[in-house]
Amino acid sequence: MIGVIAGALVAVLPSGSPARAQVAIIVNGDPITVYDIDQRTKLMNLSGQKNATRQQAIEDLIGDKLKLSAAKGYKLEITKSDVDNSFANIARNVRGTPESFAKNLESAGVNPETLKARLKADLAWAQIVRGKFQSSLQIGEKEILTTLENRNSKDVGYEYILTPILFVIARGAEGMAESRKRDADLLRVRFQDCKTGIPFARALRDVVVRDTIRRNSADLSPQLRDVLDKVEVGRLTPPEVTSGGVEVFALCEKKETTADTPARRALREEIFSEKFKEHANRYLKELRKSAMIEYRQD
């Protein structure tokens, strides 16, 4: 799938003349224009494939046409909503909105529809490969354990019992964030254990103690795991400003678990990615062998 387009978007001056729509290639009856090739080349360079050539863009576009052609054969429909959601996810990853992300693409000389066309092909392809090779993509526990042993990887995970505590900031009073962080820090000093600390927090003004939650370390980001590793059981995490106020978490219990661990989760994703790529590449080559590809321009 398409990787996250990160980093600064460098502005590219427009070419001046209107984009040409001459058909350069036809794949199974579906055209690829000169404009498509130019746009895909720019997108590839923008997304980290430095010095992408026109031929690489052509191969990329042919692959997309083959993927979408296969989707038609399976009667698989990728809706506009599916594509827009994927586009919005990328925008969030670069800390923007779909609208601001689209403007950044345009300022770099890339029509947002160029990226959306690629996303549509990727979404269809992911479903096709997962469905066609479902059994081969299964990963057994024995395979995980054997690989971990061979790598001498540490296979320890934790289950955390956490109680969220929110220092509320009313809408329109965002300037109170620093004051509320000081209030949270004062509670951190007094908070020595969950048995006495949580009732004390409940009695504080404009403080909400939420329901206790249970989390496995494999479900948490490395950054959050690092925070929790530095907190003693019975104490509070450092305050963090959220949309509702300033939040801390009481770490009420922490115990080792082998049910699932960060190492197993990461390895499972790695093995799946390798298997997926292997099957996807092989199947795409099969589709290309039987495809009707007509080159009208080089």
Side-chain angles (χ1 to χ4, degrees), residues 1 76 78 82-83 86 118-127:
M1 297 181 71
L76 174 63
I78 302 299
D82 294 331
V83 175
S86 185
R118 184 173 182 178
L119 290 173
K120 183 176 182 178
D122 285 342
L123 290 170
W125 191 236
Q127 291 191 41

Side-chain angles (χ1 to χ4, degrees), residues 5 9-15 35-36 38-47 87 101-118:
I5 299 179
L9 294 174
V10 181
V12 176
L13 292 175
S15 58
Y35 176 71
D36 293 333
D38 176 63
Q39 283 286 295
R40 180 57 64 94
T41 305
K42 290 180 179 179
L43 178 62
M44 291 172 71
N45 279 295
L46 190 64
S47 60
F87 187 86
F101 182 54
K103 287 180 180 179
N104 285 334
L105 287 172
E106 289 169 350
S107 71
V110 177
N111 187 330
E113 294 303 316
T114 297
L115 174 55
K116 289 184 179 182
R118 184 173 182 178

Side-chain angles (χ1 to χ4, degrees), residues 127-294:
Q127 291 191 41
I128 291 170
V129 174
R130 285 173 182 269
K132 185 175 179 63
F133 303 103
Q134 184 176 12
S135 60
S136 300
L137 292 173
Q138 297 297 319
I139 303 168
E141 192 65 18
K142 184 178 180 180
E143 184 177 4
I144 295 291
L145 293 175
T146 300
T147 306
L148 285 172
E149 289 175 4
N150 291 338
R151 294 184 180 183
N152 293 319
S153 298
K154 185 179 180 182
D155 186 29
V156 178
Y158 295 96
E159 184 179 72
Y160 303 99
I161 306 297
L162 303 164
T163 300
I165 300 173
L166 180 68
F167 288 75
V168 178
I169 298 177
R171 287 188 177 182
E174 286 75 15
M176 294 292 294
E178 289 303 317
S179 174
R180 297 260 69 189
K181 284 178 72 175
R182 288 193 291 271
D183 293 339
D185 281 327
L186 287 174
L187 179 62
R188 291 184 73 209
V189 173
R190 294 200 55 169
F191 203 104
Q192 300 296 317
D193 60 72
C194 290
K195 185 176 181 180
T196 59
I198 289 176
F200 180 81
R202 283 199 176 97
L204 295 176
R205 184 177 180 181
D206 296 328
V207 171
V208 175
V209 178
R210 303 187 190 277
D211 293 338
T212 296
I213 56 178
R214 188 185 301 267
R215 290 289 184 272
N216 190 295
S217 56
D219 299 322
L220 305 177
S221 67
Q223 294 82 359
L224 187 51
R225 290 200 300 267
D226 185 57
V227 169
L228 291 173
D229 285 343
K230 296 175 181 177
V231 176
E232 296 178 12
V233 173
R235 305 302 293 267
L236 300 178
T237 61
E240 180 180 359
V241 179
T242 69
S243 59
V246 174
E247 191 169 40
V248 294
F249 289 85
L251 178 55
C252 296
E253 189 177 342
K254 174 183 176 180
K255 59 183 180 181
E256 287 191 9
T257 177
T258 56
D260 199 5
T261 67
R264 290 192 194 191
R265 182 73 60 87
L267 183 56
R268 190 176 292 110
E269 292 173 357
E270 177 188 332
I271 294 174
F272 179 86
S273 179
E274 290 174 354
K275 289 185 175 183
F276 182 96
K277 185 176 180 179
E278 179 184 350
H279 286 296
N281 289 342
R282 187 187 307 124
Y283 186 40
L284 192 61
K285 287 180 180 177
E286 291 176 8
L287 291 176
R288 181 150 188 166
K289 287 179 181 178
S290 60
M292 295 184 65
I293 303 176
E294 177 187 349

